[in-house]
Amino acid sequence: MQKYILFRMGDSFMILHVKNVNKSFGKEKVLDNLSFSIEENQIIALVGPNGSGKTTLLNIITGLEEADDGEIKILNMSNKNPDVFKEIAYMQDNSVLYDYLTGYDHLQFIGDVQSLTKDQIISTAERVGIKSYLNKKVGKYSLGMKQHLLLTMALLNQPKLLILDEPLNGLDPTSVIRVRQILQDIHKEGTAILLSSHNLSEIDRVTSNILFLKNGNLIKEDISKHLNTFYKINVSNTEKAVEILNKIGVEINNVDEDQLYISTNEHSIQDVVLELAENEVQVTDINKEILGSEERYQKIFEEGI
């Protein structure tokens, strides 16, 4: 996909610029003088509890809701300019789908608006993996199938900015992996992505750039600075394993029945297993885990947990 030169903000090119946006519903202030920018070819995650205003912000960016005041520019155009929507796409929830229409009907409508060929529609459907059920009515789709259709709809025009509201909702693990790979691929091809998601472990797999939305304000975090790798190990004798690991100075984060959560690196975990084996404690399973956005989320929203 072709790279595009965008407008300059300071020393960086920006694809999205949100400046001093305010939004209230009655007496409740949802967005409070909110500002941020997205540089070209970035993946940014928008994270916050239910009701924090994530969807409201995405709707305002895409012109579906009006801000009380503020300015939004996309590709150096006002978000009120209809030409913007030739260059961006917004994946909403499945309430925008029509049960009595087929998946292909939805794609064809967008294709007609965007002047796309049938081949372009089919190739996008194949990329997401929904071609086999394109001719079924959406009312017979599972939640995961609807999510795949919504993603296909969003990718049809090869957007320069892709905005996704809970793209992993209702997906099984295989589908989550597929969607993650698609997002990484289109990012490499030159598309900037802004996604809202509750799946913090998946966010850590696609980006370290996170905007936490709290009390109407954004807290920008580079999660790569907060990543913490630990290992979850199953052992035959938890009490004895704790005693051994304490003696050799291994940090134990948590103990849960036959599982230990320990902080160490990939080289030291082998020494841990050998030490336990030499003391007749069998390790039956090992899983590597990475804490990043989840740990920051807990600290930022600690009052609400």
Side-chain angles (χ1 to χ4, degrees), residues 91-295:
M91 175 181 165
Q92 298 171 262
D93 63 36
N94 60 45
S95 64
V96 302
L97 300 177
Y98 293 90
D99 286 349
Y100 58 88
L101 296 178
T102 66
Y104 187 81
D105 291 333
H106 287 80
L107 300 179
Q108 186 177 39
F109 175 77
I110 296 172
D112 290 344
V113 171
Q114 298 279 2
S115 300
L116 303 176
T117 66
K118 182 176 180 179
D119 286 344
Q120 289 173 299
I121 293 173
I122 295 300
S123 65
T124 306
E126 289 176 338
R127 182 174 196 175
V128 180
I130 70 167
K131 186 179 177 182
S132 62
Y133 50 86
L134 271 184
N135 294 318
K136 287 185 179 180
K137 290 187 176 180
V138 169
K140 296 182 179 179
Y141 281 21
S142 66
L143 178 57
M145 292 164 71
K146 290 179 180 179
Q147 289 295 105
H148 282 117
L149 174 60
L150 289 166
L151 179 60
T152 307
M153 292 163 63
L155 295 178
L156 275 180
N157 67 331
Q158 296 184 321
K160 301 183 187 75
L161 172 63
L162 176 62
I163 299 174
L164 306 160
D165 194 2
E166 295 294 340
L168 305 177
N169 185 34
L171 298 183
D172 59 55
T174 300
S175 296
V176 167
I177 293 170
R178 184 179 186 87
V179 170
R180 183 206 311 152
Q181 186 61 58
I182 290 171
L183 296 183
Q184 290 171 332
D185 287 346
I186 64 173
H187 166 242
K188 291 175 183 176
E189 292 166 7
T191 294
I193 299 172
L194 173 62
L195 73 141
S196 164
S197 179
H198 288 107
N199 194 327
L200 300 178
S201 62
E202 280 302 319
I203 283 176
D204 285 336
R205 294 175 182 269
V206 296
T207 184
S208 62
N209 297 314
I210 297 185
L211 298 172
F212 290 99
L213 183 56
K214 181 180 181 182
N215 299 330
N217 298 290
L218 286 174
I219 303 168
K220 187 174 182 179
E221 291 275 1
D222 181 354
I223 295 300
S224 64
K225 298 177 181 178
H226 304 283
L227 290 178
N228 178 31
T229 301
F230 70 96
Y231 287 86
K232 180 171 64 176
I233 63 174
N234 289 64
V235 294
S236 58
N237 188 326
T238 305
E239 186 176 345
K240 189 173 182 180
V242 169
E243 180 183 346
I244 295 166
L245 296 181
N246 283 333
K247 283 182 179 179
I248 63 175
V250 173
E251 181 182 353
I252 301 174
N253 301 103
N254 193 23
V255 180
D256 182 16
E257 295 183 358
D258 64 343
Q259 291 182 336
L260 301 178
Y261 298 78
I262 63 174
S263 295
T264 186
N265 57 47
E266 290 189 21
H267 300 292
S268 299
I269 191 64
Q270 298 176 20
D271 297 332
V272 167
V273 173
L274 287 173
E275 186 70 26
L276 292 173
E278 288 176 1
N279 287 274
E280 299 180 344
V281 176
Q282 184 181 2
V283 176
T284 58
D285 194 22
I286 301 177
N287 288 292
K288 181 180 179 181
E289 308 252 348
I290 298 176
L291 275 181
S293 58
E294 182 175 338
E295 189 174 46

